[in-house]
Amino acid sequence: MNKKPTFNELITQKQYALLEKASDSEARLERIVSSISSVVFETDEKGRWTFLNDSWPDITGYSVAESLCNDFVDSIYFKDRKKNLTLLQTLLGKNKTFHRHRTRFKHKKDGFVWVEISTSLILDSNNHIVAAAGTINDIHKQVLQREQMLRRENILEATYIASNKLVGSDLDYQKENEILTIIAKAAQLKQALFFDVSLMSDEVLVENARVLSGIPKVMSFTKLSHEQVMHGHSGLTSVALTGAIENGSLILQNHRSKNGRTFQHLLLPIVEGNTIRKAMILIGENHWNQHDINVLKIFSQKLGLTLERSSAIAAQVESEKRFRYAIEGVNEGVWDWNVKTGEAYFSARWTQMLGYEQDELKGNLSTWSSLVHPDDLEKVSKVLNAHLQGETEFYEGTFRAKHKSGNWIWILARGKVVQRDSDGAPERATGTHQD
């Protein structure tokens, strides 16, 4: 015959059952907490970690044992600590007990990791923190992707703005400074510099290079020696740069400085024709992706075309200067005509034949046609147009031109188209007038 349990025995059995159920629930909760990818945390009233689940090492690189009992502030990346403490004080001042925000935590190997923290503060009746609990999620990839996208857009816009500044202008010292400022700010660089390849040697690599330092806080340009530029950036070796420039290709190097920060150096040669004249070095902590590199390569090619255009214009100006010096010594009047715009140049002898000073006659084709005798204008225009159309090798014709005194003098005109566009249309013609 089974003996009925006493009242005390029933109470004891129920207590055991409740304890077993609680133990099962606690074990189940522990398994759930351990299996989720988010960090589940708890701190005491002083902000020291009292609980961290198994996801903590996955996000920060530190073991749970290394971090427990440490102040939570020590886990925050040093650049974000002040901001987080200010945020905490603000929340307490507004009597808020829950907040979600993004910040950076220290990472044992990679410097820092972007995280999103959801925190619930447990306060006593005096509004003092008794404990805190919440979750930490790894958002590093999402933040970097967003930053990369924004940086890509900024670099695209910067190269567009910088390219517009090159339109119709030379790549002079001031223009280089403007370009460095635009590119450096968009790409969030530590340093940016131009240097002339002609200044390179085994001993001095970038003597007198234009350097932009302290970006973006200090937008000032200075001239630095090779030693100053290379200080802390040993990845920029003379051998590496010389080889890259001789091959006409860019280089991309990583370099870890003495304080442990990693910099990437991107060198972009600027080619004028088939010769490298300048180079641009961009130095920053952000990694260069292939898209940004390609955009900057295209921009460096535009810089090279600007140098080509500037050299061509300078050569043309010098040639015209020598030409005009030469014609001052001959007894023929010289004209130079921009066929597309109608603008023209008439030498001093050309205007003197007709009794004028150079500044008395406007430099355009209508000045010439207004001086030709009406009976001769149609005939000489046909001869001129035939040459412009490529029907004759030279232009030659005689006509009467009106002297300032009112008399008509006979002129022998000779000329030739010296420049045509890609379609063969005349752009420039030059020639002489002989009395």
Side-chain angles (χ1 to χ4, degrees), residues 51-76:
F51 175 80
L52 294 163
N53 71 339
D54 292 342
S55 296
W56 176 257
D58 298 333
I59 292 179
T60 66
Y62 293 95
S63 68
V64 172
E66 286 179 287
S67 303
L68 283 179
C69 299
N70 291 336
D71 195 313
F72 84 96
V73 175
D74 294 337
S75 297
I76 298 173

Side-chain angles (χ1 to χ4, degrees), residues 284-350:
E285 292 185 81
N286 291 317
H287 292 286
W288 292 104
N289 60 62
Q290 195 57 50
H291 177 274
D292 294 342
I293 291 173
N294 290 339
V295 169
L296 290 166
K297 282 173 69 176
I298 292 171
F299 179 67
S300 69
Q301 292 168 3
K302 290 183 180 179
L303 293 177
L305 292 174
T306 300
L307 288 179
E308 270 189 69
R309 186 186 67 239
S310 298
S311 297
I313 291 174
Q316 182 178 340
V317 169
E318 183 63 27
S319 176
E320 290 180 356
K321 188 186 294 184
R322 290 196 298 268
F323 172 70
R324 290 180 182 180
Y325 282 149
I327 64 176
E328 296 300 331
V330 301
N331 198 36
E332 294 182 349
V334 175
W335 52 269
D336 193 333
W337 174 32
N338 186 320
V339 182
K340 289 190 178 288
T341 66
E343 295 177 348
Y345 163 79
F346 305 122
S347 71
R349 177 58 185 148
W350 193 99

